[in-house]
């Protein structure tokens, strides 16, 4: 048989309810103990006062009569004497007029009972000597306080016990109801988080949980929603990423297959021109695979960086010189507006790859007759470079998407003008590895301006 195991709601309910029961039990025990001791002490003090009053009054009567004959078989005398005590107590407000709570006896000097019940005189009861003419003429003896004999007192004690248990029962029910509502209310956000986690684990990345409170659970719900949003975004990006990769690979492969089938069928002759066409598509595939490999390695932080002090101005001039002839063949111009010297701490190979990608991007997406202006300045110990080209430009919405993978501003998948769509993403990772910042804006020449910010080498490192 499977044992019942309470969930977190049941555990919290049992914990709070058990604590309430323990508090109730301690309070009940304490109240009962206090009442019983207080009640007995109250009766004991009252009996002591009455014993004293009765012994004094009987001593005076004994001195007047000289013996105990006036008291033998004279219950009426004792009744009047006790009544006078009670009236005196009421007038003096010393104690309430309830008379004796316990049985009492009046005995003579020979310990013979003069007044009292027929039961034996208790040896452990309270006693008070009756003084007459300087000697003990007898004693007034009362039964122990614990032996209550009056029905009203016994009923009062029973009523207090019964009332106490009723209060405990009602308090227990109230504690159970309050604990249940409290546990349910406190754990409602936890249950929503559990349900949301189950949906998230099942692949439903659109799930969200309500976050209405500002406590730790509310912050946890906000973090959960942020996590779900990130997972949903990454899931969509992964699907789009796989679709883009398959598309990018399919295009050159389809061209290669068509070219090879045409040569095989004799439709196209195997000439140097056809070989050059095939080599171009192979180069495109190689570039795409290399870019994917570079991007995956940079995402994982696996790219090796061998940083050292280097003159970034000299590096920019080398890259611009290597591209100048290609720009001229497309009717484009490159102009440099650089300071004389700037030293940074970085990897020359990776920075060369960064500049190559940026210039390749401008070469592919700038109309003939345009220009690329590379300018730089030092701002707050940072080397800021601007790669601004001419038309065509992009919209504000397209600016925010330039660094997304496989995105092309012209919106087509024709490879005639575009590359793999991964160059700027690789650039972003390289700049981040150098503690820099990469951003895009509208160019003053009508195209796009890519800004690269890199920290200058600290003076302390230059002196080493």
């Amino acid at each position: 048989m499977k044992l019942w195991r309470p969930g977190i709601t049941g555990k919290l309910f049992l914990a709070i309810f058990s604590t309430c029961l323990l508090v109730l039990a301690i309070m009940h025990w304490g109240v009962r103990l206090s009442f019983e001791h207080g009640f007995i002490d109250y009766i004991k003090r009252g009996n002591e006062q009455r014993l004293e009053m009765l012994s004094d009054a009987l001593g005076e009567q004994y001195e007047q009569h000289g013996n105990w004959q006036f008291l033998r078989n004279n219950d009426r005398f004792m009744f009047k004497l006790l009544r006078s005590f009670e009236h005196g107590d009421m007038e003096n407000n010393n104690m309430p007029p309830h008379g004796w709570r316990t049985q009492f006896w009046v005995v003579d000097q020979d310990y013979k009972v003069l007044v009292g019940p027929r039961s034996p005189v208790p040896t452990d009861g309270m006693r008070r000597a009756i003084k007459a003419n300087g000697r003990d003429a007898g004693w007034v003896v009362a039964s122990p306080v614990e032996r209550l004999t009056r029905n009203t007192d016994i009923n009062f004690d029973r009523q207090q016990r019964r009332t106490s248990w009723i209060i405990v029962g009602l308090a227990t029910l109230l504690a159970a109801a309050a604990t249940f509502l409290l546990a349910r209310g406190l754990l409602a956000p936890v249950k929503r988080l559990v349900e949301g986690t189950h949906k998230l684990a099942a692949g439903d990345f659109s799930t969200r949980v309500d976050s209405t409170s500002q406590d730790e659970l509310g912050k946890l719900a906000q973090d959960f929603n942020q996590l779900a949003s990130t997972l949903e975004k990454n899931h969509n990006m992964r699907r789009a990423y796989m679709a883009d990769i398959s598309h990018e690979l399919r295009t050159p492969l389809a061209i290669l297959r068509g070219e090879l089938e045409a040569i095989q069928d004799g439709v196209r002759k195997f000439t140097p021109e056809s070989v050059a066409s095939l080599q171009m598509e192979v180069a495109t595939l190689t570039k795409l695979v290399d870019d994917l490999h570079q991007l995956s390695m940079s995402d994982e932080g696996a790219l090796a960086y061998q940083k050292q002090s280097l003159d970034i101005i000299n590096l920019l001039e080398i890259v611009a010189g290597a591209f100048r002839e290609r720009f001229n063949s497309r009717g484009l111009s490159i102009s440099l507006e650089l300071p004389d010297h700037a030293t940074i701490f970085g990897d020359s190979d990776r920075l060369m790859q960064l500049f190559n990608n940026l210039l390749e991007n401008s070469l592919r997406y700038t109309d003939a007759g345009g220009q690329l202006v590379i300018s730089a300045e030092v701002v707050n110990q940072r080397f800021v470079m601007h790669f601004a080209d001419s038309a065509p430009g992009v919209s504000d919405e397209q600016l925010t998407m330039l660094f997304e993978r496989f995105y092309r501003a012209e919106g087509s998948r024709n490879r005639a003008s575009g590359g793999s769509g991964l160059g700027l993403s690789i650039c972003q990772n390289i700049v981040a590895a150098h503690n820099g910042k990469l951003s895009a804006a509208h160019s003053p020449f009508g195209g796009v301006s890519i800004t690269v910010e890199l920290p200058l080498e600290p003076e302390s490192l230059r002196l080493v």
Side-chain angles (χ1 to χ4, degrees), residues 172-299:
T172 301
L173 294 177
L174 181 61
T179 302
F180 175 76
L181 295 176
L182 181 63
R184 188 174 181 181
L186 286 176
L187 293 179
V190 178
K191 286 187 175 181
R192 290 197 294 266
L193 285 171
V194 171
E195 294 175 357
T197 303
H198 289 165
K199 293 181 180 179
L200 202 62
D204 184 7
F205 301 115
S206 62
T207 183
R208 300 291 186 274
V209 296
D210 295 333
S211 176
T212 57
S213 61
Q214 298 299 324
D215 55 6
E216 288 79 0
L217 288 176
K219 294 179 180 179
L220 182 60
Q222 294 175 5
D223 293 340
F224 176 87
N225 292 335
Q226 182 65 32
L227 174 62
S229 177
T230 302
L231 290 175
E232 183 180 20
K233 181 179 179 181
N234 291 340
H235 177 68
N236 294 333
M237 288 178 62
R238 182 180 63 83
R239 294 178 61 182
Y241 186 51
M242 296 303 297
D244 288 337
I245 290 177
S246 62
H247 178 85
E248 294 294 331
L249 292 173
R250 188 184 300 115
T251 302
L253 286 174
I255 296 175
L256 281 172
R257 182 178 180 180
E259 292 278 353
L260 291 173
E261 288 179 352
I263 294 174
Q264 187 178 19
D265 294 339
V267 176
R268 184 173 181 180
K269 295 181 180 181
F270 190 72
T271 61
E273 290 78 11
S274 62
V275 173
S277 176
L278 292 175
Q279 287 179 339
M280 185 180 299
E281 295 303 326
V282 171
T284 301
L285 276 174
T286 303
K287 179 66 168 59
L288 177 60
V289 172
D290 288 343
D291 286 347
L292 287 172
H293 178 66
Q294 291 284 332
L295 186 61
S296 63
M297 291 184 65
S298 62
D299 284 342

